[in-house]
Amino acid sequence: MLGIRKQISESKSLTDFGRMPNIKVFSGSSHVDLAQKICDRLGIEQGKVVTKKFSNGECSVEIGESVRGEDVYIVQSGCDEVNDMLMELLIMINACKIASACRVTALIPCFPYARQDKKDKSRAPISAKLVANMLSVAGADHIITMDLHASQIQGFFDIPVDNLYAEPAVIKWIKENIQDWRNSCIVSPDAGGAKRVTSMADRLNVDFALIHKERKRANEVASMVLVGDVKDQVAILLDDMADTCGTFCHAAEKLIEAGASKVYAICTHGIFSGPAITRINESVFEAVVVTNTIPQEERQKQAPKIQCIDISS
């Protein structure tokens, strides 16, 4: 009897610790290209999944292979039709969980509703917290995301959250593509991004500045004041996301007025909604550099100034 018990405990420990579960990577419909690049780097095939919509707009997901006991990663970015993408992700997580997946990791390069992270006025919702609750209830065991709009969003979860940074890839791009980068100034388009800008400036050993802005309402800037000196320097505007690009384009004009020789814009998430593409084409930027947390192929065709950094690594 003791021998049998010993055998069972040995086999259990081998199952628990001796064998790593197989990795399966599935992609939602938001960013299939990024998922494929990640699979190519890992040397594995992308998991089979069929996503479709019913005529009334409901999302339908069919996982096309067994995930029992597997370590599942689901790649889905918060872009384009954000609400549909979020719902599709929740359904995929739940489908894998009830199919006995060992662990389900949601890989969300651009976290949806990240700008609604605090109660900044009466009766305002904290939607980022609601999204965190929904992901946890759906069955996610782990979240991987990139350059969260506010770091405190990690605290909205009771599960592990890895907030990766695009900074190393951005520094590499600056050194390889901006010839006069040693005579540059890293500029934050608002006071909230000061920490991000000072970190980048320290790593490049260059100056930094920031622009103080006052908003009339969301997506509309009333006035801007430059704090710092950019005269005869290459100004590099740095932010975590660019949506309608109103702030970026106003800031670029302010920097040219202040004597900057060239202006570049760099951000992690290029949302580019509404009049963004027109504004970029008419702007004074040398280039608008974004990462591929959101698909950019179509936008690059419309705006030649947009350049993309691959962050699949």
Side-chain angles (χ1 to χ4, degrees):
M1 193 72 179
L2 284 169
I4 292 166
R5 279 182 183 161
K6 190 181 177 188
Q7 235 176 348
I8 290 167
S9 66
E10 278 176 2
S11 67
K12 189 183 175 194
S13 63
L14 279 170
T15 308
D16 288 353
F17 309 112
R19 181 183 68 85
M20 283 291 286
N22 291 329
I23 291 174
K24 290 272 175 79
V25 178
F26 294 96
S27 174
S29 54
S30 69
H31 207 339
V32 179
D33 180 57
L34 179 63
Q36 189 56 55
K37 283 178 175 168
I38 291 167
C39 288
D40 291 344
R41 283 184 174 272
L42 293 170
I44 60 173
E45 282 188 26
Q46 201 175 137
K48 296 179 181 70
V49 62
V50 177
T51 57
K52 57 188 180 210
K53 282 187 185 178
F54 292 116
S55 56
N56 68 346
E58 285 182 7
C59 298
S60 171
V61 173
E62 291 173 22
I63 307 294
E65 56 190 270
S66 173
V67 294
R68 186 178 294 276
E70 307 283 14
D71 196 359
V72 174
Y73 289 79
I74 299 169
V75 182
Q76 182 82 312
S77 200
C79 56
D80 298 328
E81 296 171 334
V82 178
N83 297 327
D84 284 355
M85 298 306 163
L86 177 58
M87 198 66 213
E88 190 178 278
L89 173 62
L90 296 171
I91 294 168
M92 286 179 79
I93 292 168
N94 193 247
C96 291
K97 203 68 184 173
I98 61 177
S100 302
C102 171
R103 188 174 72 144
V104 179
T105 299
L107 200 158
I108 315 168
C110 181
F111 194 85
Y113 291 90
R115 284 177 284 187
Q116 298 181 41
D117 61 314
K118 58 185 176 288
K119 193 169 180 176
D120 53 357
K121 51 183 177 286
S122 300
R123 297 171 297 282
I126 308 174
S127 305
K129 169 64 174 167
L130 177 61
V131 171
N133 289 346
M134 288 162 73
L135 288 164
S136 299
V137 170
D141 299 297
H142 181 202
I143 305 292
I144 300 174
T145 186
M146 184 164 249
D147 278 345
L148 280 170
H149 187 65
S151 294
Q152 68 263 25
I153 291 172
Q154 292 171 89
F156 293 168
F157 291 89
D158 293 323
I159 55 175
V161 178
D162 284 323
N163 181 28
L164 308 180
Y165 296 100
E167 189 178 79
V170 168
I171 287 171
K172 185 171 180 281
W173 188 92
I174 290 171
K175 288 180 176 179
E176 287 175 359
N177 294 276
I178 300 177
Q179 203 170 5
D180 200 18
W181 66 267
R182 286 182 177 85
N183 182 38
S184 66
C185 181
I186 312 295
V187 185
S188 173
D190 56 34
K195 192 176 177 183
R196 187 182 302 110
V197 162
T198 50
S199 170
M200 181 79 76
D202 288 345
R203 290 191 64 177
L204 288 169
N205 195 26
V206 296
D207 295 333
F208 71 91
L210 64 88
I211 289 170
H212 174 66
K213 67 182 178 186
E214 292 173 4
R215 286 188 186 274
K216 285 180 186 171
R217 57 182 76 91
N219 293 339
E220 194 178 320
V221 178
S223 64
M224 284 188 162
V225 180
L226 175 66
V227 182
D229 182 29
V230 294
K231 191 171 174 60
D232 300 325
Q233 289 181 305
V234 176
I236 302 171
L237 272 167
L238 186 71
D239 209 350
D240 65 317
M241 63 172 67
D243 191 353
T244 58
C245 291
T247 302
F248 259 175
C249 293
H250 278 126
E253 287 162 14
K254 196 83 184 170
L255 291 167
I256 292 291
E257 284 171 24
S261 57
K262 290 178 182 175
V263 182
Y264 290 84
I266 301 179
C267 67
T268 306
H269 311 296
I271 298 167
F272 301 141
S273 63
I277 298 297
T278 308
R279 283 174 174 169
I280 289 168
N281 287 331
E282 294 170 357
S283 70
V284 295
F285 290 120
E286 297 292 315
V288 176
V289 184
V290 295
T291 69
N292 62 340
T293 56
I294 293 172
Q296 299 295 345
E297 291 80 7
E298 287 304 312
R299 296 182 180 99
Q300 282 180 290
K301 289 173 189 172
Q302 296 168 359
K305 287 183 181 179
I306 296 174
Q307 296 186 31
C308 198
I309 301 171
D310 178 27
I311 47 86
S312 59
S313 57

